Amino acid sequence: VPRVSATSPIRTLIVDDEAPARSRLKHLLREATDFLVVGECANGDQAVDTIRRDRPELVFLDVRMPGRNGIQVCEEAGVTPMPWIVFVTAYDRFALQAFEVHAIDYDLKPIDRDRFQRTLKHLRARLRGPTPEPTDDGRLLSLLDNLKQTRPGLDRLALKVEGRIVFVRLNEIDWVEAEGNYVRL
């Protein structure tokens, strides 16, 4: 994950197959002078090429796109350090996959200005703070918290345990640990 200078703008790439969604993100980012949009892509193939070529520090990335989806973009970009990723999607069911590719945040469409401002505040703290690399456990807890805030009715997770689906209430989760390709709650 790239270290970000405290004085230079955060070089940001926007990736979404829908032009209105890209436009909305650009509009919201225009108000934040510490973020500089260095490009935009309409599909996953363009995103992989642009990430490899331009090395942005931050990518706002749609999950569902033609060709490569957002998860595949993260897996296939193959750059070190990988940019910070904020998934922007209409589907909350991809949150755990987002965690697996180390996303820093997860915003749901349509993008709400207040929620987006919280995302930017979170990004500033993570990217410019004294310890910009959060633990995997902290990332998952942050994603769960964001899901709870954006979907007030979401109060539980469906987990597959020994071939069965088990529902766990979010307020009952006391501890989260990354364990290889899995998460232990």
Side-chain angles (χ1 to χ4, degrees):
V1 175
R3 302 268 179 192
V4 177
S5 164
T7 57
S8 61
I10 298 166
R11 297 176 58 254
T12 305
L13 176 66
I14 298 171
V15 182
D16 199 303
D17 61 320
E18 300 171 353
R22 290 192 310 269
S23 179
R24 174 76 172 148
L25 283 168
K26 281 192 304 190
H27 175 75
L28 290 169
L29 284 167
R30 210 171 288 132
E31 300 170 5
T33 59
D34 52 339
F35 291 84
L36 173 65
V37 176
V38 295
E40 60 181 273
C41 302
N43 62 55
D45 295 336
Q46 290 175 353
V48 168
D49 292 341
T50 303
I51 290 169
R52 288 176 179 168
R53 183 187 65 238
D54 297 343
R55 303 292 176 110
E57 296 160 325
L58 171 65
V59 179
F60 284 92
L61 181 61
D62 189 10
V63 175
R64 292 191 61 182
M65 296 179 290
R68 288 183 177 119
N69 65 39
I71 303 295
Q72 291 168 322
V73 167
C74 292
E75 293 171 345
E76 296 174 22
V79 297
T80 303
M82 184 66 181
W84 291 91
I85 302 292
V86 173
F87 280 107
V88 181
T89 182
Y91 306 94
D92 60 5
R93 67 178 175 263
F94 295 109
L96 289 178
Q97 284 180 296
F99 167 69
E100 289 173 1
V101 294
H102 307 288
I104 191 172
D105 212 339
Y106 194 94
D107 282 352
L108 293 172
K109 295 178 189 176
I111 298 176
D112 173 74
R113 180 181 301 276
D114 291 337
R115 171 65 180 99
F116 191 76
Q117 291 304 317
R118 287 195 307 270
T119 294
L120 294 182
K121 182 178 177 184
H122 180 203
L123 287 167
R124 288 177 183 109
R126 295 288 188 175
L127 277 65
R128 299 195 189 280
T131 55
E133 296 188 40
T135 65
D136 290 342
D137 299 344
R139 287 183 182 159
L140 180 60
L141 290 173
S142 175
L143 285 170
L144 291 172
D145 184 53
N146 287 338
L147 282 174
K148 194 165 40 173
Q149 289 178 19
T150 58
R151 299 280 197 222
L154 179 68
D155 66 346
R156 60 189 178 153
L157 289 175
L159 306 172
K160 189 173 185 178
V161 178
E162 298 175 0
R164 298 179 323 136
I165 301 296
V166 176
F167 292 94
V168 177
R169 294 199 179 283
L170 295 181
N171 63 359
E172 293 175 345
I173 298 174
D174 296 321
W175 170 72
V176 179
E177 179 180 336
E179 190 171 287
N181 291 333
Y182 299 92
V183 176
R184 180 183 297 266
L185 302 176

